Amino acid sequence: MSARLTRRPAEAEAVLVSQDVLSRLKGDILDGRFAPGARLRFAELQREYGAGIGTLREALSHLLPEGLVELDANRGFRVAAISAEELRDVSALHVEFECRAIVASVKHGDEAWEAGLVLAFHRLSKIERLSREERKARSSEWLAAHRDFHRALVAACPSRWLLRLRGQLYDHMERYRLVSQRHRPLGPSKRAEHEAIRDAAIAREAERAGALLAAHLRETTETVLRHAPQFMPAAP
């Protein structure tokens, strides 16, 4: 094999480090560890992630087109701001794309897709059956299981572009939900809603699955908006 086609170990390791930094930085922005609008200073990021400026700049450049960070002229990067107006805009698009994706997924899903959905729901429901205190203690596990469940619902959608755009909108909605969660009590388990969506999908009731999912997503948005004055800056 040509040397040009063989990635050297050092290069492969650098790619892994870069991906790890990107993943960690994105996660910290999504869950509100870096506050909306906050400056992202390279010196602080270097201490936090143990990475060089080049790796950090590359990670931030990836997050720029995703709308999670903004370039502040002559001052570097900052976390993208949030607002109730943007939340409503993102939510409307998220519902539309998510519902289009699940309808297509249900119509095209095979047995492997169905098995993956059942497994994803099982993992999520194990956490959602726990007491409120236990769910709070295992919030990071719930976040991963919840993301996997929603991804499993749409996994059989044949449109890669739809899935890509849907994924970006999911991330933005997750950011709003996680930031607001710091300012509100833990709500009731969503297990019944998730189960109803799963049942409709498994029964191949595509339109019903889409309607249930839309109601589920809109309710989440309304919950976030109820707490918006506590974590969003007031309009000028």
Side-chain angles (χ1 to χ4, degrees):
M1 183 178 294
S2 170
R4 289 180 299 175
L5 300 179
T6 304
R7 190 183 296 277
R8 294 191 296 273
E11 293 175 326
E13 183 177 351
V15 170
L16 291 175
V17 170
S18 179
Q19 288 297 319
D20 177 66
V21 170
L22 174 60
S23 177
R24 290 167 59 196
L25 179 56
K26 182 174 181 178
D28 288 340
I29 290 174
L30 289 178
D31 72 9
R33 185 176 179 202
F34 292 115
R39 289 273 310 278
L40 293 168
R41 296 177 172 84
F42 281 110
E44 296 174 4
L45 296 178
Q46 283 180 286
R47 288 194 297 270
E48 179 66 30
Y49 300 108
I53 290 179
T55 297
L56 290 167
R57 190 179 297 278
E58 180 182 355
L60 290 166
S61 296
H62 277 289
L63 297 177
L64 193 60
E66 293 186 28
L68 294 175
V69 301
E70 299 169 345
L71 192 57
D72 194 356
N74 300 320
R75 301 189 67 185
F77 294 90
R78 68 172 59 250
V79 179
I82 59 177
S83 69
E85 180 181 7
E86 184 190 69
L87 170 57
R88 292 188 179 93
D89 189 20
V90 170
S91 175
L93 290 170
H94 180 228
V95 171
E96 178 184 348
F97 281 54
E98 196 85 19
C99 290
R100 287 175 60 182
I102 193 176
V103 168
S105 184
V106 170
K107 290 179 178 178
H108 290 87
D110 56 14
E111 290 185 0
W113 165 78
E114 188 173 309
L117 175 57
V118 170
L119 179 59
F121 174 78
H122 174 68
R123 289 171 174 165
L124 176 61
S125 65
K126 284 177 65 178
I127 301 175
E128 292 186 324
R129 282 196 297 263
L130 300 174
S131 68
R132 181 172 299 192
E133 292 73 21
E134 289 175 301
R135 284 189 287 121
K136 186 174 182 179
R138 298 176 62 178
S139 60
S140 61
E141 293 179 57
W142 182 88
L143 286 174
H146 184 252
R147 178 181 290 271
D148 288 345
F149 172 69
H150 277 274
R151 188 183 290 128
L153 286 169
V154 302
C157 172
S159 172
R160 298 299 97 187
W161 269 105
L162 178 54
L163 290 178
R164 181 181 301 175
L165 294 171
R166 168 261 165 204
Q168 291 181 354
L169 290 164
Y170 181 97
D171 282 345
H172 280 275
M173 281 304 303
E174 191 76 337
R175 180 183 179 219
Y176 275 92
R177 192 184 65 75
L178 290 172
V179 171
S180 75
Q181 192 167 279
R182 294 172 178 264
H183 304 271
R184 59 184 169 89
L186 180 66
S189 170
K190 294 286 189 177
R191 184 174 183 274
E193 292 180 23
H194 290 143
E195 186 172 20
I197 297 168
R198 180 211 60 182
D199 288 347
I202 295 299
R204 304 305 171 120
E205 298 174 350
E207 299 301 329
R208 175 172 168 73
L212 288 170
L213 181 57
H216 173 70
L217 298 175
R218 290 189 180 112
E219 195 280 331
T220 297
T221 300
E222 289 305 312
T223 298
V224 174
L225 283 169
R226 280 198 297 274
H227 296 270
Q230 295 174 267
F231 69 94
M232 290 187 193

